Structures are given as C-alpha cells and as structure tokens.
Amino acid sequence: MLKMGRVERYIHDRLREGKLHFVLLDPDDVSPETAGKIAGMSEEIGVDAIMVGGSIGAEGEVLDDVVKAIKENSTLPVILFPGSHGGISRYADAIFFMSLLNSRNPFFITGAQALGAFQVKRYGIEPIPMAYLIIEPGETVGWVGDAKPIPRHKPKIAAAYALAGQYMGMRLVYLEAGSGAEKPVPPEMISLVKKVIDVPLIVGGGIRTGEQARRAVEAGADIVVTGTAIEKAGSLGKAQKKLKELNRGIKG
Ligand code: 1GP
C-alpha cells in the first residue's frame, strides 16, 4: 500500500486538533511577489497549507516562480492543485493526485494523471490521491474539465460519487463549486457526503465570508479552501483582513 507521506500525515495530525484552512493561489492571477507575501501572511494568521494551481495558464515558469516565492516566504506545505499534467512543479512538497470523477472526458479522470505520473515520481513530489467532484455551477474548472456538474439540490449524487472515490482508494474527497462561484457548495450536500465517507472532506469554491466558511465547517467540511476572496481583495491590507475573517470562520 502507498505509504502516507509527510504532508498527508501533517494534514491528519492537524485534523486531530480541529478544522483546516487551505489558501489557493493561482499563478495565472497572482505574481510571485504577491504570492510570497500572501503565503507569509497566511502562515502568521494560522492557515494550514498553500495550494497552487488553476485551470488556465497555471503552468511552466509562472507556476515554478510562484511555488518558489511561497517556499521562500513561509514554511507552510505547498500542495499542487493541477488542472492537468501541466500543473506540476518540482519545487512543491505534494500534489493532490486528483481524478475529476464526474468528467465526461477520460482525459480528466485518468489521462492527465498517466501523463504526469512519471514527472511526480522523478521530482519526488508526494502524491495524495483525491476524488474531485464538480458541483453546480462549476465555473471555469467545470467547463475546462468537461464535467457534468452535480445539481446543487441532489446531495445524494455527490455522496454516491464521494463514496465510490473512497472505495477506489482515494484518501481525500473535494467538493468543488468552482473558483469564484456565486454560491458555495450547499451545506445539505456537505452534510450528506460527510455522513457517508470516512476520509477527510475538502470544500471550496465561492466561499468569501467568515460566515460562509463557518457554515461549511458546521455542515461537516474538514478542510475549507479559499482563493478568490483573498487574491482579489484589492490590496495586501484587505487580503490580510479577509484571511483573518475566513480563518476565524473556520477555526472559531
Ligand atoms: C477553487 O475551490 C477553490 O478551485 C477556491 O474557490 O476561488 O472561489 O475561493 P474560490
């Protein structure tokens, strides 16, 4: 059996203490300099990890430069959140080795994974197997990933996919409304998924207030991901304020 690596163990250790907050930075939206500053701030505020990735343009040099800047400015684990095999950087600590289970296109279920696997091994990046599910509206990742987004009022479909993911050996489940979604994943869906799976549950997409973050956690999210609310806060001062608000919502 694939042994748990350092980052996955860190996630499980921290989960014993409480809920976690991961900040997502998209190299196509933030400069390395800003990413480094946000990562440093995030660590001070109590964020648990930085995720790096995006659906469009988050590849190559910009990706490497953002990961390096984060590593220089914080000691938080950097976890890749790739849109495809192009989203791999040798400078990251770990990678969500994810399968978009409700895609209509096998490329996003197993194809990109096969194309990226040797690179992950060569660079010694820790793979963390994850079931990735797109919930309506799905936004850019839903479109690019050719998903059949799960309707917001059909929690049972999400729960069935999540449990299937767990039975296929995935050690995390991620419910994704899409970056910048108008509304986050509904609490009823989070609750039902949480009830049926045993692996940690990650929720993200459209969470922009402390109150929304709190509701996700109360419904059963173990890890809450926030991106747009921080990246598009308008200034580093506002980003810091927003980070604190979101972090309080998640950690109480
Ligand atoms: C997107 O779930 C993440 O992949 C975060 O979404 O940018 O809306 O916070 P936001």
Side-chain angles (χ1 to χ4, degrees):
M1 200 170 92
L2 180 69
K3 273 208 304 245
M4 248 196 223
R6 204 171 51 84
V7 175
E8 194 176 1
R9 246 193 330 263
Y10 162 91
I11 292 172
H12 282 271
D13 287 347
R14 289 223 161 185
L15 278 173
R16 274 194 283 276
E17 312 294 319
K19 305 297 182 180
L20 308 190
H21 182 192
F22 288 4
V23 165
L24 171 66
L25 296 173
D26 183 339
D28 199 50
D29 292 332
V30 289
S31 66
E33 197 195 337
T34 305
K37 286 184 181 150
I38 293 177
M41 249 170 6
S42 299
E43 184 164 15
E44 274 169 29
I45 288 165
V47 167
D48 303 281
I50 306 290
M51 288 162 52
V52 180
S55 303
I56 300 176
E59 302 187 2
E61 207 178 335
V62 284
L63 171 63
D64 282 341
D65 289 348
V66 162
V67 173
K68 281 194 264 184
I70 295 167
K71 294 298 293 175
E72 279 159 20
N73 287 279
S74 91
T75 64
L76 291 176
V78 178
I79 307 172
L80 296 170
F81 183 54
S84 74
H85 58 295
I88 299 171
S89 168
R90 68 196 312 159
Y91 304 103
D93 300 298
I95 181 167
F96 282 145
F97 207 87
M98 49 211 262
S99 177
L100 206 179
L101 292 184
N102 61 325
S103 177
R104 296 177 173 96
N105 183 342
F107 177 78
F108 294 99
I109 307 172
T110 54
Q113 293 77 356
L115 296 181
F118 280 151
Q119 241 180 318
V120 169
K121 192 176 176 71
R122 188 179 310 131
Y123 296 153
I125 307 167
E126 176 187 336
I128 306 177
M130 180 166 89
Y132 189 50
L133 301 176
I134 306 285
I135 316 303
E136 281 178 343
E139 302 296 317
T140 304
V141 68
W143 192 90
V144 172
D146 204 358
K148 194 159 113 186
I150 297 172
R152 295 175 56 79
H153 63 287
K154 293 288 180 190
K156 203 169 162 186
I157 299 177
Y161 268 90
L163 187 58
Q166 177 182 314
Y167 287 166
M168 287 191 280
M170 289 150 188
R171 305 205 291 239
L172 292 172
V173 168
Y174 192 133
L175 299 180
E176 171 72 272
S179 187
E182 199 188 325
K183 284 191 247 163
V185 176
E188 304 72 39
M189 187 178 277
I190 298 173
S191 299
L192 189 65
V193 170
K194 179 65 186 168
K195 215 181 285 168
V196 304
I197 62 169
D198 307 294
V199 298
L201 176 60
I202 309 185
V203 177
I207 295 174
R208 41 173 77 74
T209 67
E211 178 59 22
Q212 287 171 325
R214 190 180 58 76
R215 254 183 268 141
V217 160
E218 278 177 3
D222 296 299
I223 302 170
V224 172
V225 180
T226 65
T228 306
I230 297 148
E231 282 181 343
K232 305 254 160 87
S235 68
L236 281 171
K238 285 184 188 157
Q240 188 178 36
K241 216 168 139 226
K242 192 41 95 175
L243 269 169
K244 284 186 184 157
E245 175 193 331
L246 291 163
N247 210 58
R248 255 199 314 273
I250 295 161
K251 308 209 170 198

